[in-house]
Amino acid sequence: MTAGVFILLLIGIVIIGYFISAHNTELRLRNLVRAQQEVCEANFDKMWKVIKQITHVSDTYLETFKEIYPKLIAGRYQGRDIAFIMEQNPPLDSSVLRQLATAIEANRQEFFAQQRLLVARQKEHSTFIHSIPACLVLPYAEDVKITVITSDYTENVYASGKENI
């Protein structure tokens, strides 16, 4: 075997080796992005279930309180000439509302962190497939599409370039 054939064979092995490596890296990054998208969906679902569960508890508490409260004070002043009486009635427990506010903040922060990771992974995949030499051996690789949860308010602010609070 001549030196030229050996060099061509070696170059061919290196190119095939790089193609396999690039293909595997692209596949790994694509799967990481897809998995992170699923994590975001599951996290969003968990966030709403936690909020719904707490609000159901507070709704139940408020309905019970509205039912009991009038009965507690009904009939106390019938036939009395006193125009105003100071008394201590049971207070509405605001701890449920504090718990709800804390749960909303914690879950939204966790969801934001997961969304940020999703965007970072998508960017890593995109950078890899568009960089040389990967783009040469993977010319048909496409960016992974992701869904970032936002709001109409945010979209309007970015569209107008103004935030008027």
Side-chain angles (χ1 to χ4, degrees):
M1 178 180 329
T2 68
V5 172
F6 179 73
I7 291 174
L8 285 176
L9 185 60
L10 187 59
I11 290 173
I13 289 172
V14 168
I15 290 173
I16 290 171
Y18 181 75
F19 172 78
I20 292 169
S21 174
H23 174 76
N24 290 342
T25 300
E26 191 274 337
L27 183 63
R28 180 184 59 78
L29 292 172
R30 178 177 297 278
N31 287 338
L32 276 173
V33 171
R34 288 180 179 159
Q36 187 61 37
Q37 182 74 62
E38 290 177 15
V39 167
C40 288
E41 290 172 15
N43 188 277
F44 190 83
D45 185 56
K46 178 196 73 100
M47 176 180 64
W48 280 108
K49 286 178 180 173
V50 166
I51 292 168
K52 191 73 171 156
Q53 185 177 18
I54 292 171
T55 56
H56 175 69
V57 169
S58 70
D59 289 347
T60 303
Y61 176 80
L62 289 172
E63 287 303 316
T64 304
F65 190 81
K66 284 194 297 189
E67 238 177 77
I68 293 172
Y69 193 76
K71 293 176 186 174
L72 290 173
I73 60 172
R76 289 185 180 176
Y77 309 119
Q78 292 176 353
R80 296 191 185 171
D81 292 335
I82 301 171
F84 181 73
I85 295 179
M86 296 289 290
E87 65 178 33
Q88 183 79 20
N89 288 314
L92 175 63
D93 184 10
S94 63
S95 67
V96 174
L97 298 176
R98 282 193 301 276
Q99 179 188 12
L100 177 60
T102 301
I104 289 171
E105 178 64 24
N107 279 279
R108 296 212 32 101
Q109 286 296 331
E110 181 183 351
F111 181 69
F112 175 71
Q114 295 299 331
Q115 289 263 260
R116 186 172 44 203
L117 184 57
L118 173 65
V119 170
R121 286 187 171 166
Q122 191 271 344
K123 185 69 173 170
E124 181 181 2
H125 175 266
S126 181
T127 300
F128 177 76
I129 65 171
H130 295 293
S131 297
I132 294 177
C135 67
L136 300 175
V137 296
L138 301 171
Y140 301 110
E142 295 181 6
D143 287 317
V144 180
K145 303 293 183 221
I146 61 172
T147 302
V148 176
I149 304 299
T150 186
S151 65
D152 289 339
Y153 174 76
T154 301
E155 288 178 6
N156 291 337
V157 168
Y158 271 84
S160 70
K162 297 176 184 176
E163 180 186 28
N164 299 318
I165 296 179

